[in-house]
Amino acid sequence: MAPHVFWKGYLKLSLVTCRVTMAPAVSESGKVRFHNLNAKTHNRVLSQYVDGVTGKPVDDDDQVKGFERSEDDYVLFEDEELDDVGLESTRTIDIEAFVPSGEIGWIWYDRPHFLAPDDKVGEEAFSVIREAMAATGMVGIARLVMYRRERAVMLVPDGKGIIVWTLRYGDEVRDADAYYQLAQPGKSDAQHLSLIKKLIGERIEKWDPAMADDPVQDKLLDIIKRRKKSKKTRATPSKSGAKRSDNVVDIMSALKKSLDDERRAKGK
């Protein structure tokens, strides 16, 4: 089955242009999703926007976006006005600059998308842009209207294709220093460091996508499967609960015990 394509346009670098398609690299379509129901009737509970003062429903045509400049005083925007603020072209990825691939920290990465040539004619232009970035260790930076907003995007060569990452806005990324006040740089105890390195060595494994499986999803699917076979529709509340331990232990003793436990587990 061919993958769903949600965007078609052009990849452009100076005078080199080719037709491309783009699709999200990740999907949540397989997640278990719940509906809100009336517990008495089991009918769906629907949501609607209502006037905050009168309590009356507001039709879609009567809704506008508003920026609050003072209490109960708003600057109003129509959807068309917000659309006009974006780029003139929403269908061209025009690479404006290149940046060494290691300079953009992962915290700026937002959503990944697969980018591929849309026809045979554009394959050569697409390939030469991708391979040149890979050979020089660079990623491309462009701007594009996606999800109804103009965004900076990063183009990363990836095998036969290119990954397009939408980047977070500058005001979304917080300053880490404010959160790391207690994590001051300093020289670690040599013995502690040696034991931690050994502990890391005991746990080195090859990456497997199964490491990122969702255990809650698996449990929910199991419950749903069992309930399909029975008439039971309600869950029995669980009385178990994990308690937080505030015990402080000696780090050297903890590290040595951890290493012993790791080795015994591998021995089995």
Side-chain angles (χ1 to χ4, degrees), residues 214-231:
D214 182 355
V216 173
Q217 172 90 350
D218 294 338
K219 290 177 183 177
L220 286 173
L221 289 172
D222 185 55
I223 293 171
I224 291 169
K225 182 179 179 180
R226 283 189 276 112
R227 290 198 191 165
K228 281 182 177 179
K229 297 179 180 179
S230 69
K231 295 182 179 179

Side-chain angles (χ1 to χ4, degrees), residues 65 72 76 99 105 112 122 135 151 164-165 181 223-224 232-233:
K65 299 289 192 300
D72 296 328
L76 304 182
V99 176
R151 298 171 180 273
V164 175
W165 280 92
Q181 292 180 7
I223 293 171
I224 291 169
K232 186 176 180 181
T233 59

